[in-house]
């Protein structure tokens, strides 16, 4: 039988945070505040890096691309989540759901590989400083960013095409956005092939970049430990601290969400993990890179000083 005859629904409805019905307004207020902080923080980072010539380096170029990607990433998910919390726009069409999933996957994978590019940048800066400007030239930086984005686009097209070929017989998504597994669970047929595809893609786009970052930091740490000066070692570690913090949270949440067995967590636990990587992690970027990074703080002070003078 053709897929069209199986597809009994033309729109989905998000269950959202139905388990916390009595706390929906509180959740709305908290998530809205975090969302505003995330948008403001990432926009400030992109603006400061663009305006301050002291930050026109590969490391901050990657950071600005990551902040821009995180900004769009949150725009894809959080506004609809907020509207659902106050009872608005509950339904989403199949096309709308596919579009949201496409951008979510593209940007999530783009972020993974941008963090890998930032790890490579730190490796070259610390382990091969004399050739840093030659290796990390403008062309190489653009290639790394384009590679991150094109990988995300390729995987998103593959994954979304596979999911939305399925016939759907249920319309209630047990989530607050169109994530892969909750949508696949609405299918009328067995989704084992799709589950295997999702697992293979997750392994490729999570474990491989994570492994490359791990190798980079083994080499970085071994180089730092050979630095004679204690002050030099401290300074070298400081340049990596912000990146390591973001990497641990980002890849930790992604691994738990997509590499765990299908039925290991409850719906509420899955949503908690999803909130972490859709709401908390994008906020982590501006917080970590402004509070822990002296160069960004100095650039911010210079910008504020110029505006006040």
């Amino acid at each position: 039988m053709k897929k069209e005859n199986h597809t009994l629904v033309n729109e989905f409805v998000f269950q959202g945070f139905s388990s916390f019905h009595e706390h929906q307004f509180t959740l709305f207020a908290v998530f809205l505040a975090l969302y505003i902080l995330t948008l403001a923080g990432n926009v400030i980072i992109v603006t400061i890096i663009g305006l301050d010539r002291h930050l026109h380096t590969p490391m901050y170029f990657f950071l600005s691309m990551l902040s821009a990607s995180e900004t769009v990433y949150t725009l894809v998910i959080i506004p609809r989540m907020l509207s659902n919390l106050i009872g608005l726009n509950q339904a989403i069409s199949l096309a709308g759901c596919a579009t949201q999933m496409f951008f979510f996957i593209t940007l999530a994978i783009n972020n993974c590989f941008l963090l890998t590019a930032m790890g490579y940048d730190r490796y070259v800066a610390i382990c091969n400083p004399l050739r840093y400007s030659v290796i990390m030239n403008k062309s190489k930086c653009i290639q790394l960013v384009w590679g991150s984005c094109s990988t995300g686009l390729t995987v998103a097209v593959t994954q979304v095409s596979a999911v939305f070929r399925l016939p759907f017989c249920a319309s209630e998504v047990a989530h607050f956005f169109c994530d892969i597994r909750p949508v696949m669970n609405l299918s009328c047929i067995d989704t084992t092939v799709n589950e295997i595809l999702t697992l293979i893609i997750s392994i490729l786009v999570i474990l491989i970049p994570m492994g490359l970052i791990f190798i980079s930091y083994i080499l970085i740490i071994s180089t730092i430990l050979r630095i004679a000066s204690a002050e030099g070692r401290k300074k070298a570690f400081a340049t990596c601290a912000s990146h390591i913090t973001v990497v641990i949270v980002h890849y930790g949440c992604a691994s738990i969400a997509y590499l765990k067995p299908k039925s290991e967590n409850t719906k509420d636990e899955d949503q908690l993990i999803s909130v972490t990587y859709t709401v908390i992690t994008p906020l982590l970027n501006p917080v970590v890179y402004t509070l822990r990074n002296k160069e960004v703080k100095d650039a911010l002070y210079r910008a504020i000083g110029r505006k006040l003078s």
Side-chain angles (χ1 to χ4, degrees), residues 48-49 51-57 60 295 298-299 302 306:
I48 289 295
I49 291 173
L51 293 177
D52 197 298
R53 60 183 179 82
H54 297 91
L55 300 181
H56 291 175
T57 63
Y60 292 109
E295 289 178 310
D298 290 344
R302 284 193 294 270
R306 283 197 299 269

Side-chain angles (χ1 to χ4, degrees), residues 248-260:
I248 290 171
V249 176
H250 185 95
Y251 281 100
C253 291
S255 298
I256 294 169
Y258 294 102
L259 298 179
K260 65 178 175 60

Side-chain angles (χ1 to χ4, degrees), residues 100-141:
Q100 186 185 57
M101 186 184 292
F102 172 79
F103 281 107
F104 163 69
I105 295 171
T106 299
L107 294 165
I109 293 174
N110 182 49
N111 294 344
C112 282
F113 282 92
L114 283 175
L115 286 169
T116 308
M118 292 171 77
Y120 176 68
D121 172 77
R122 290 300 83 205
Y123 158 73
V124 176
I126 292 172
C127 299
N128 209 342
L130 298 179
R131 298 189 62 222
Y132 178 72
S133 58
V134 176
I135 297 173
M136 297 304 295
N137 54 56
K138 186 176 180 180
S139 175
K140 174 62 71 65
C141 293

Side-chain angles (χ1 to χ4, degrees), residues 8-27:
L8 306 177
V9 295
N10 56 18
E11 65 180 20
F12 294 135
V13 176
F14 296 118
Q15 287 183 8
F17 298 92
S18 54
S19 301
F20 305 94
H21 182 73
E22 66 277 13
H23 303 296
Q24 298 251 7
F25 185 75
T26 303
L27 290 173

Side-chain angles (χ1 to χ4, degrees), residues 11-12 14 80 92-104 160 163-164 168 173 177-179 183 186:
E11 65 180 20
F12 294 135
F14 296 118
R80 181 174 283 275
I92 184 171
S93 67
L94 263 70
C97 186
T99 302
Q100 186 185 57
M101 186 184 292
F102 172 79
F103 281 107
F104 163 69
V160 172
V163 171
F164 284 87
F168 300 109
V173 182
F177 73 99
C178 287
D179 204 352
V183 173
L186 305 180

Side-chain angles (χ1 to χ4, degrees), residues 188-299:
C188 308
I189 62 173
D190 180 68
T191 59
T192 301
V193 173
N194 293 76
E195 291 287 346
I196 293 171
L197 175 65
T198 301
L199 180 61
I200 292 170
I201 289 174
S202 299
I203 289 171
L204 292 175
V205 302
I206 295 174
L207 293 187
I208 290 178
M210 194 161 56
L212 292 172
I213 294 173
F214 181 71
I215 292 168
S216 295
Y217 273 103
I218 288 175
L219 298 171
I220 287 169
I221 291 169
S222 65
T223 301
I224 290 174
L225 293 176
R226 290 199 297 269
I227 298 174
S229 161
E231 184 63 30
R233 290 196 297 271
K234 182 180 176 182
K235 185 176 180 181
F237 273 122
T239 65
C240 301
S242 299
H243 180 250
I244 291 173
T245 304
V246 175
V247 163
I248 290 171
V249 176
H250 185 95
Y251 281 100
C253 291
S255 298
I256 294 169
Y258 294 102
L259 298 179
K260 65 178 175 60
K262 182 178 178 181
S263 59
E264 187 174 295
N265 288 344
T266 65
K267 174 197 160 189
D268 291 342
E269 289 170 336
D270 285 336
Q271 286 192 334
L272 179 61
I273 295 165
S274 297
V275 165
T276 304
Y277 67 73
T278 57
V279 180
I280 307 300
T281 304
L283 178 61
L284 194 66
N285 243 11
V287 169
V288 168
Y289 279 101
T290 52
L291 296 182
R292 292 182 60 89
N293 192 296
K294 186 176 183 300
E295 289 178 310
V296 174
K297 285 193 288 187
D298 290 344

